[in-house]
Amino acid sequence: MSRTLTLMDRVRIERVVQSVDFLTQDIPGRVRRSIRRELRANLWAAASRAGASEAIRQLGSLRQLAEGYLAAEYGGGRRRPRWMSGFLWAILCVILISAINIVNFVAFTAGVQAARPAADGAFTERVSPWVMGTVKVTYTHGTLHSLAVSLPELMLVYCVAALILGGRLWRLVPGRRAAPQG
Amino acid sequence: MSGTGLYPAPVAPAHDPQLLKGLLSPLLLRLIAEQESYGYQLAQRLRELGLPDIADGTVYPALARLEREGRISSRLVASPSGPARKYYRPTSAGYDALAAGTASWLALAGVVTPALGRPIPEEPQPMREEELP
């Protein structure tokens, strides 16, 4: 007997499809589109017959499914870099370091105003060269006149490192072979 | 208890996934050779064949591998309910692989089945005297 899929069933199926797609991001886009299309059609067929929960249960481990697709595509061959993951990690790195520096700036100006309510002149702070840049504020009779915040010089290094590690860019190096897949 | 003495009779034996892994390709080729099918349909047919524990997630990558190896070809067929389904059929290389896989399995089964099918003795026979150092 064929069941009609509810909106929730479709959402659950799509979540599974997208999860497998994320886990197989090493595979070229054209092949991944084909995998997504086929997986979606199979899950729809299974859910129409046995319900969405049973269809997803019968699929087994999504990680193993993704590993199966990766092994089918590459065998023991070289995999592609994960550009999307690399850029996401690099953006996360920028957001994290920026957040730390914003907190540092707010804390520093609050400290200056608390210590000298009628502050006059320039105040500079640099707590850690590793993750924090320089904060320079100028006060005129207790009023913030100008501010300058520079991000740490090493920020670029961190972002490049995040891009390389997150994106597995070493896979671009010719001659490197991935471990054989089971 | 079975007639094998110390060993209880197996109850609905689960299929060893590693053992099945090597046989999945010829099994799928065989099923596809019998009837053009799509992924979920093949998983269902395997369950009906006597492999109730097989996960759909084992079957789909195996089909992807067979297609990548040029042993099966596919075509999209519109479905009355839901997205178009990908139906598979063997290529000539697939028929060759099926014939080779079948012959290989039958030859192996011809050796293994009689050996493992014998009753298991309760005790191993003692070492013969002439084998003593």
Side-chain angles (χ1 to χ4, degrees):
Chain A
M1 199 180 73
S2 180
R3 302 177 189 210
T4 306
L5 299 193
T6 63
L7 178 65
M8 189 51 72
D9 290 339
R10 295 175 193 200
V11 168
R12 291 176 69 193
I13 287 173
E14 200 52 37
R15 190 185 65 80
V16 169
V17 171
Q18 294 305 323
S19 299
V20 173
D21 187 60
F22 181 77
L23 292 169
T24 54
Q25 59 179 299
D26 288 2
I27 296 175
R30 182 182 52 79
V31 181
R32 263 168 58 202
R33 271 194 296 280
S34 169
I35 290 172
R36 280 201 306 269
R37 197 167 48 218
E38 185 181 13
L39 185 59
R40 191 178 291 119
N42 283 327
L43 281 168
W44 271 66
S48 300
R49 187 180 167 124
S53 300
E54 183 62 12
I56 293 167
R57 193 195 64 78
Q58 280 182 341
L59 200 57
S61 155
L62 298 188
R63 196 164 289 278
Q64 280 180 12
L65 173 63
E67 282 300 321
Y69 279 125
L70 287 165
E73 180 66 21
Y74 292 106
R78 190 155 61 97
R79 291 187 181 182
R80 297 186 333 150
R82 297 181 173 185
W83 289 108
M84 183 60 78
S85 276
F87 283 119
L88 286 176
W89 277 106
I91 290 168
L92 190 67
C93 186
V94 171
I95 290 171
L96 187 67
I97 293 175
S98 300
I100 290 170
N101 279 275
I102 288 168
V103 169
N104 179 42
F105 163 72
V106 170
F108 179 62
T109 50
V112 170
Q113 284 172 348
R116 294 189 186 180
D120 232 342
F123 299 85
T124 305
E125 187 217 27
R126 182 168 190 161
V127 177
S128 159
W130 299 102
V131 287
M132 291 179 189
T134 306
V135 178
K136 186 176 181 184
V137 288
T138 310
Y139 282 89
T140 309
H141 307 302
T143 307
L144 186 63
H145 181 70
S146 67
L147 61 95
V149 181
S150 68
L151 291 169
E153 295 84 354
L154 287 170
M155 184 162 171
L156 186 65
V157 175
Y158 296 143
C159 291
V160 170
L163 178 68
I164 291 171
L165 294 175
R168 286 124 166 106
L169 296 198
W170 57 86
R171 291 177 179 171
L172 288 170
V173 180
R176 277 193 62 91
R177 309 299 288 182
Q181 298 297 306
Chain B
M1 293 289 278
S2 72
T4 56
L6 297 172
Y7 299 90
V11 179
H15 297 282
D16 182 346
Q18 288 303 317
L19 206 58
L20 188 61
K21 202 173 173 182
L23 293 168
L24 193 54
S25 290
L27 267 175
L28 286 171
L29 282 169
R30 174 71 198 208
L31 293 181
I32 296 168
E34 287 172 0
Q35 188 194 338
E36 198 180 14
S37 305
Y38 63 96
Y40 175 66
Q41 198 177 18
L42 284 163
Q44 280 292 95
R45 288 175 66 195
L46 284 169
R47 283 191 275 271
E48 286 163 10
L49 206 64
L51 300 168
D53 298 329
I54 198 155
D56 296 3
T58 310
V59 175
Y60 304 156
L63 288 169
R65 191 175 59 249
L66 284 170
E67 190 175 29
R68 187 171 174 75
E69 290 167 352
R71 294 178 178 177
I72 53 175
S73 60
S74 64
R75 66 187 178 106
L76 285 174
V77 177
S79 159
S81 59
R85 294 168 181 170
K86 198 173 178 184
Y87 278 77
Y88 295 100
R89 62 186 312 152
T91 60
S92 57
Y95 280 109
D96 292 345
L98 175 58
T102 305
S104 171
W105 166 248
L106 291 177
L108 186 64
V111 174
V112 174
T113 306
L116 293 184
R118 292 198 292 260
I120 304 171
E122 291 192 15
E123 284 283 328
Q125 284 185 9
M127 193 164 50
R128 282 178 286 192
E129 293 230 352
E130 60 267 26
E131 289 173 351
L132 288 170

